[in-house]
Amino acid sequence: GENVEQHPSTLSVQEGDSAVIKCTYSDSASNYFPWYKQELGKRPQLIIDIRSNVGEKKDQRIAVTLNKTAKHFSLHITETQPEDSAVYFCAASRGNNRLAFGKGNQVVVIP
Amino acid sequence: NAGVTQTPKFQVLKTGQSMTLQCAQDMNHNSMYWYRQDPGMGLRLIYYSASEGTTDKGEVPNGYNVSRLNKREFSLRLESAAPSQTSVYFCASSPRDSPSNEQFFGPGTRLTVL
């Protein structure tokens, strides 16, 4: 099955700096890659996603890039703010009703 | 719309006891899912239901059973709880049979098995 890995496990950034989280996946048939944000004690919520026919997608301060050849995709957060502090999960799917999640990255934004 | 709701929010069981976690969604979604979340392990799929009347095993199905009662409701049952099943359980739903649409999560059930 699909194996999704996230790096680094914990990332600390100064407020206003950028944060980048990278995920790798194993199944070359995967074609959908969402990112979920989970604040402490809350449910995961989708923040951005990308399909395999697109290389990059942006939504205000967040962006996702996909490199299908290398089988990795990354979440970019610019101008980080304290409310960006959370656990971020990447996931991959080949469109078979299943998402394979990574283990999560803890992002800490230092004021 | 309430979205995805789960009951109970918290539960403490003794080893060997049974219980059912309830999940309901009011978004007319076809697909529903049960995940468990353990520290450092991410979200692992237990069971899912692509549509009413169908269920399939996920990554970690052992020790669990599910019932897709109707389009709205998807329950998870622990027949004989074990300490290894201590976890936070999330139910989710998505609008079509493919997960290439957003999965909406419920608030979670925190289960402790003593």
Side-chain angles (χ1 to χ4, degrees), chain A residues 4 9 11 22 30-31 34 36 49 54 57 61 63 65 70 95 105:
Chain A
V4 178
S9 59
L11 178 63
K22 179 178 174 179
S30 289
N31 55 21
Y36 284 78
D49 57 11
V54 175
K57 184 176 179 180
R61 293 188 298 108
T65 57
N105 292 95

Side-chain angles (χ1 to χ4, degrees), chain B residues 69-88:
Chain B
L69 304 170
N70 47 55
K71 191 171 186 180
R72 291 186 63 249
E73 299 172 289
F74 189 37
S75 63
L76 179 72
R77 183 160 178 84
L78 287 72
E79 290 290 352
S80 178
S84 60
Q85 295 178 304
T86 293
S87 188
V88 179

Side-chain angles (χ1 to χ4, degrees), chain A residues 43-95:
Chain A
R43 71 191 79 187
Q45 291 189 296
L46 180 74
I47 55 171
I48 196 167
D49 57 11
I50 192 168
R51 301 181 196 282
S52 59
N53 58 348
V54 175
E56 182 176 3
K57 184 176 179 180
K58 289 183 180 179
D59 184 2
Q60 299 182 340
R61 293 188 298 108
I62 60 173
V64 56
T65 57
L66 172 65
N67 183 326
K68 288 189 292 183
T69 303
K71 289 192 282 188
H72 67 73
F73 56 111
S74 299
L75 178 70
H76 304 254
I77 307 172
T78 59
E79 300 173 16
T80 53
Q81 300 169 5
E83 53 264 38
D84 295 328
S85 294
V87 177
Y88 292 82
F89 293 97
C90 62
S93 170
R94 63 193 316 206

Side-chain angles (χ1 to χ4, degrees), chain A residues 2 6 31-32 34 36 38 41-47 49 51 87 89 92-104, chain B residues 2 4 31 33 35 37 40-43 45 48 50 57-59 90 96-108 110:
Chain A
E2 174 67 275
Q6 293 185 236
N31 55 21
Y32 174 67
Y36 284 78
Q38 186 179 30
K42 301 289 182 62
R43 71 191 79 187
Q45 291 189 296
L46 180 74
I47 55 171
D49 57 11
R51 301 181 196 282
V87 177
F89 293 97
S93 170
R94 63 193 316 206
N96 59 351
N97 296 302
R98 296 176 61 158
L99 282 175
F101 283 89
K103 294 183 178 179
Chain B
V4 181
S31 302
Y33 311 83
Y35 293 92
Q37 184 176 33
M41 295 298 293
L43 292 155
L45 183 65
Y48 67 101
K57 294 179 180 179
E59 183 184 353
F90 286 100
R96 292 207 297 264
D97 289 348
S98 166
S100 59
N101 285 289
E102 178 176 357
Q103 287 193 16
F104 294 81
F105 285 80
R110 187 173 294 274

